[in-house]
């Protein structure tokens, strides 16, 4: 991006690992699966943010970093330790980076999506589980991808220039 456009203004950290293999009790959780989930979600956020923050600071024009975590990162859920731990950590990283990068004009925020009808979700749950999740959501349905994208886009605009360190439930 830097080579192509000469600058970087926005970073969206939206990596995740299909949770199917880690949806087991602690005593059955494979440490390699646990580590892979952390590597993708936490290390990916760390390395991308570190590289892009340096560019944004050097540009001296600020920027936007949006981390995509999960509602599970605020409340947890049973038998989903790897994903919950990674999301909790990502929320903590968001708030720390907002304080550290704010003086440079870099806004760092986090969206916490609820269950969204994605290929990854459909691959990790059966129809009955998907229907069950719908019933605990106030709107009684799963979110669409677009419903998750628009809040992220908003956080990348000038209109969100005074929002930093926020956790937005979607």
């Amino acid at each position: 991006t830097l080579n192509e456009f000469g600058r970087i203004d926005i970073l969206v950290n939206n990596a995740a690992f299909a949770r199917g293999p880690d949806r087991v009790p602690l005593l059955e959780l494979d440490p390699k699966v646990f580590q892979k989930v952390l590597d993708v979600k936490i290390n990916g956020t760390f390395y991308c943010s570190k590289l892009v923050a340096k560019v944004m600071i050097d540009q001296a024009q600020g920027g936007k970093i949006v981390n995509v975590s999960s509602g599970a990162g605020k409340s947890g859920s049973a038998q989903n330790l790897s994903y919950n731990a990674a999301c909790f950590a990502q929320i903590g990283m968001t708030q720390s980076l907002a304080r550290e990068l704010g003086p440079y004009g870099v806004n760092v925020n986090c969206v916490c999506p609820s269950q969204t009808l994605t290929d990854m979700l459909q691959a990790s749950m059966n129809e009955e589980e998907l229907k069950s999740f719908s019933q605990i959501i106030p709107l009684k349905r799963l979110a669409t991808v677009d419903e998750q994208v628009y809040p992220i886009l908003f956080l990348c605009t000038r209109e969100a220039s005074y929002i930093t360190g926020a956790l937005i439930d979607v």
Side-chain angles (χ1 to χ4, degrees):
T1 300
L2 191 56
N3 290 339
E4 179 74 20
F5 298 103
R7 57 183 298 109
I8 299 175
D9 299 303
I10 297 167
L11 168 65
V12 177
N13 287 306
N14 187 34
F17 174 66
R19 302 185 310 258
D22 82 328
R23 293 188 62 159
V24 296
L26 170 64
L27 300 178
E28 297 173 26
L29 181 57
D30 181 341
K32 290 178 183 174
V33 172
F34 181 82
Q35 189 60 55
K36 182 171 183 177
V37 173
L38 296 183
D39 285 344
V40 170
K41 196 125 185 92
I42 299 306
N43 293 345
T45 297
F46 168 76
Y47 288 117
C48 290
S49 296
K50 182 176 173 128
L51 291 170
V52 169
K54 173 153 181 28
V55 172
M56 289 177 175
I57 290 169
D58 289 348
Q59 291 172 171
Q61 294 181 2
K64 310 283 188 172
I65 298 175
V66 180
N67 296 323
V68 180
S69 183
S70 171
K74 293 170 70 178
S75 62
S77 61
Q79 297 185 1
N80 208 354
L81 180 64
S82 306
Y83 188 71
N84 294 336
C87 291
F88 271 98
Q90 195 174 38
I91 287 170
M93 287 174 65
T94 298
Q95 293 179 328
S96 293
L97 290 175
R99 292 180 186 278
E100 182 176 339
L101 300 177
Y104 301 99
V106 178
N107 302 73
V108 184
N109 292 294
C110 184
V111 295
C112 298
S114 65
Q115 297 298 337
T116 305
L117 198 55
T118 63
D119 292 342
M120 187 173 90
L121 183 69
Q122 290 176 317
S124 69
M125 294 183 182
N126 63 39
E127 243 350 272
E128 186 176 308
E129 289 172 314
L130 291 171
K131 193 173 190 176
S132 176
F133 271 120
S134 297
Q135 297 312 303
I136 62 172
I137 297 170
L139 295 174
K140 302 295 183 206
R141 65 178 177 80
L142 300 175
T144 67
V145 172
D146 283 349
E147 289 171 318
Q148 300 298 350
V149 169
Y150 291 122
I152 295 167
L153 291 173
F154 168 71
L155 290 171
C156 296
T157 66
R158 277 189 209 108
E159 288 77 7
S161 64
Y162 203 70
I163 301 172
T164 196
L167 307 176
I168 299 177
D169 292 326
V170 183

